[in-house]
Amino acid sequence: MIDLRLLREDPDRVRASQRARGEDVALVDALLSADERRRSSGVRFDELRAEQKQLGKLIPKATGDEKAELLKKAGQLAADVKAADAERDAADAETQELLLRLGNLVHPDVPVGGEEDFVTLETHGTIRDFGAEGFEPKDHLELGTLLGAIDVERGAKVSGSRFYFLTGVGALLELALVNAAIAQATEAGFTPMLTPALVRPQSMAGTGFLGQAAQDVYRLDNDDLYLVGTSEVPLAAYHMDEILDVDRLPLRYAGFSPCFRREAGSHGKDTRGIFRVHQFDKVEMFSYVAPEDSEAEHRRLLEWEKQWLSSLELPFRVIDVASADLGASAARKFDCEAWIPTQGKYRELTSTSDCTEFQSRRLQIRVRDGKQVKPLATLNGTLCAVPRTIVAILENHQQADGSVYVPPVLRPYLGGREVLEPVAK
């Protein structure tokens, strides 16, 4: 959530942010009104309580008619205090409810617009000309079948559409990617973490995934638990309700977890293969930093993502995501999109978001700096979303005979293999 003081001092900035997100601007005025009622009812309650305490001191000293009058007044005052308390609680609840619906403040450098209004910041690598090499590229599913690596038919039989098995060298390729990604993150100073896949509602809400993203979340009604769509959720909630000493910052974690997404609204999109699925594994970077360091940390996370994709020898570009495509928690987001040859376009492989103080305020995570205690900043960045990375590797590194070149960074985790070979039929 945002700082209420900022809302009061500069409501036009918050309105502009909502407008850029394509969200309801009227929410800002409704929140200002609720906040004013909350504060005025709080003042009224405090005044009545003070009067009630003062009256309580007079009653024991009074006698006769005076005491009777004071007792009558005390009865009315008790009713007024109770009503003021209820009014204060109602206004506070409304303020909190509206505040939780408000997205993070969009960074001023973010391009304004929808999904297609991003700005390309960098392009890396060379897109292969398969025509010049004399063959037509196969898509990842055909290659995965030839390699005995991907089985979507049995995935659908067992679990339904958008599920899959990674088999043989496909399973080994996932393990190689995860190990290589964790090795890079550990070398960069991240603490490796294996995180829970089920979290409580306050963890999910605190990270901002029960607002506009709620339709994409799986919920276990009988247990009041949610399946995470990213280990960002448990990593953000890891220090929930804690005060951290400033000397401990930055704190950096690399979480590995299964991820579950309903993919609501994606009917008919990416239905072939394993590009868009309901369950996948991912290595996620997560940082806790002082608020003034968040922009620099955001650039560092991006550099680690670029290092990873470059080590896989994939052609990719970096985009500055437009305002209406940010998600509620992010003030700014950079995506790294890899070239997918059979689609003839770049597709998202990694993403890094600067969430500033938005999540820490919701999760009550603060930092102590001397005598000052204040919210800190949280940031997240995908290092390796496994299925999409497999798609990019298979398609970009395929050879005419259906084999696939293995980048050197993965070879130590694949028994030294330099090439993945088709299996005998």
Side-chain angles (χ1 to χ4, degrees):
M1 63 180 71
I2 69 167
D3 187 349
L4 269 174
R5 287 176 300 178
L6 189 151
L7 175 73
R8 296 181 204 121
E9 293 167 3
D10 195 358
D12 285 341
R13 181 183 170 192
V14 184
R15 291 187 187 99
S17 178
Q18 283 290 96
R19 195 174 295 112
R21 288 180 172 277
E23 298 291 336
D24 184 11
V25 178
L27 179 61
V28 177
D29 294 310
L31 180 53
L32 283 167
S33 177
D35 179 50
E36 174 56 34
R37 289 195 302 276
R38 179 184 68 88
R39 289 189 294 155
S40 62
S41 61
V43 171
R44 172 69 173 156
F45 173 80
D46 291 340
E47 290 174 344
L48 289 170
R49 280 289 292 145
E51 187 178 350
Q52 189 180 42
K53 288 178 181 178
Q54 187 63 33
L55 189 62
K57 295 176 182 178
L58 297 176
I59 291 174
K61 301 175 184 178
T63 59
D65 292 343
E66 182 187 5
K67 187 168 188 176
E69 186 63 30
L70 288 175
L71 286 170
K72 181 180 178 182
K73 186 175 181 182
Q76 181 59 51
L77 201 51
D80 291 344
V81 167
K82 185 176 180 180
D85 190 26
E87 184 180 351
R88 182 188 61 173
D89 288 348
D92 184 62
E94 183 182 0
T95 300
Q96 290 302 311
E97 189 271 330
L98 292 171
L99 192 55
L100 288 172
R101 286 168 52 191
L102 202 63
N104 201 354
L105 290 179
V106 174
H107 189 283
D109 293 340
V110 169
V112 175
E115 185 177 355
E116 300 303 320
D117 296 310
F118 60 84
V119 172
T120 300
L121 302 176
E122 308 169 27
T123 303
H124 297 265
T126 302
I127 295 173
R128 286 174 64 184
D129 184 349
F130 286 94
E133 295 181 34
F135 72 99
E136 185 76 18
K138 299 177 178 64
D139 75 9
H140 74 277
L141 185 55
E142 187 176 357
L143 289 163
T145 302
L146 288 172
L147 296 169
I150 301 172
D151 191 334
V152 295
E153 291 184 4
R154 290 186 176 91
K157 178 180 71 174
V158 171
S159 302
S161 62
R162 298 190 191 272
F163 287 93
Y164 60 97
F165 284 87
L166 292 180
T167 58
V169 75
L172 295 177
L173 182 54
E174 157 148 354
L175 296 172
L177 285 165
V178 170
N179 275 285
I182 289 291
Q184 178 190 302
T186 303
E187 185 177 353
F190 286 79
T191 300
M193 303 276 276
L194 297 178
T195 62
L198 290 165
V199 297
R200 292 174 170 175
Q202 56 265 47
S203 299
M204 191 67 82
T207 43
F209 285 96
L210 291 187
Q212 63 186 163
Q215 63 174 349
D216 218 23
V217 176
Y218 285 103
R219 182 169 185 265
L220 280 65
D221 291 339
N222 289 344
D223 304 282
D224 199 20
L225 293 170
Y226 290 89
L227 284 164
V228 299
T230 166
S231 60
E232 172 193 345
V233 176
L235 290 174
Y238 186 64
H239 289 294
M240 181 169 55
D241 299 322
E242 295 181 24
I243 299 175
L244 306 174
D245 192 272
V246 70
D247 293 338
R248 294 182 63 189
L249 303 182
L251 283 171
R252 298 188 178 110
Y253 301 118
F256 172 66
S257 76
C259 306
F260 304 88
R261 300 185 183 181
R262 294 182 62 244
E263 291 296 345
S266 66
H267 305 294
K269 297 179 182 177
D270 301 309
T271 55
R272 179 172 168 81
I274 62 170
F275 191 85
R276 190 185 298 274
V277 290
H278 290 308
Q279 178 184 340
F280 60 96
D281 295 325
K282 180 158 68 83
V283 176
E284 181 82 3
M285 300 179 290
F286 196 89
S287 299
Y288 295 85
V289 302
E292 60 271 20
D293 295 332
S294 71
E295 289 194 40
E297 183 72 2
H298 198 198
R299 293 289 181 173
R300 282 189 285 267
L301 288 168
L302 177 60
E303 288 302 314
W304 282 313
E305 291 179 345
K306 288 160 56 180
Q307 176 188 339
W308 170 246
L309 295 178
S310 295
S311 75
L312 297 177
E313 301 178 22
L314 296 172
F316 68 95
R317 70 180 181 186
V318 179
I319 67 168
D320 199 349
V321 176
S323 55
D325 200 30
L326 285 176
S329 298
R332 193 175 194 182
K333 181 164 69 170
F334 302 125
D335 284 357
C336 291
E337 299 182 328
W339 180 256
I340 307 298
T342 61
Q343 295 186 20
K345 57 185 176 182
Y346 289 98
R347 300 299 304 273
E348 178 194 337
L349 244 60
T350 73
S351 182
T352 177
S353 297
D354 181 359
C355 297
T356 60
E357 302 169 22
F358 186 83
Q359 293 176 330
S360 68
R361 288 182 180 277
R362 296 162 75 104
L363 292 166
Q364 293 294 305
I365 308 169
R366 292 164 290 170
V367 60
R368 179 182 287 108
D369 187 357
K371 294 183 179 180
Q372 186 181 22
V373 176
K374 61 182 181 180
L376 45 65
T378 61
L379 302 95
N380 62 81
T382 309
L383 191 54
C384 181
V386 172
R388 290 192 176 196
T389 307
I390 289 177
V391 169
I393 287 173
L394 295 185
E395 294 208 12
N396 282 285
H397 294 323
Q398 65 180 291
Q399 301 180 92
D401 63 357
S403 63
V404 175
Y405 161 81
V406 176
V409 71
L410 298 179
R411 292 174 189 173
Y413 308 101
L414 282 167
R417 287 181 177 86
E418 297 182 6
V419 176
L420 305 181
E421 300 282 358
V423 295
K425 294 184 179 179

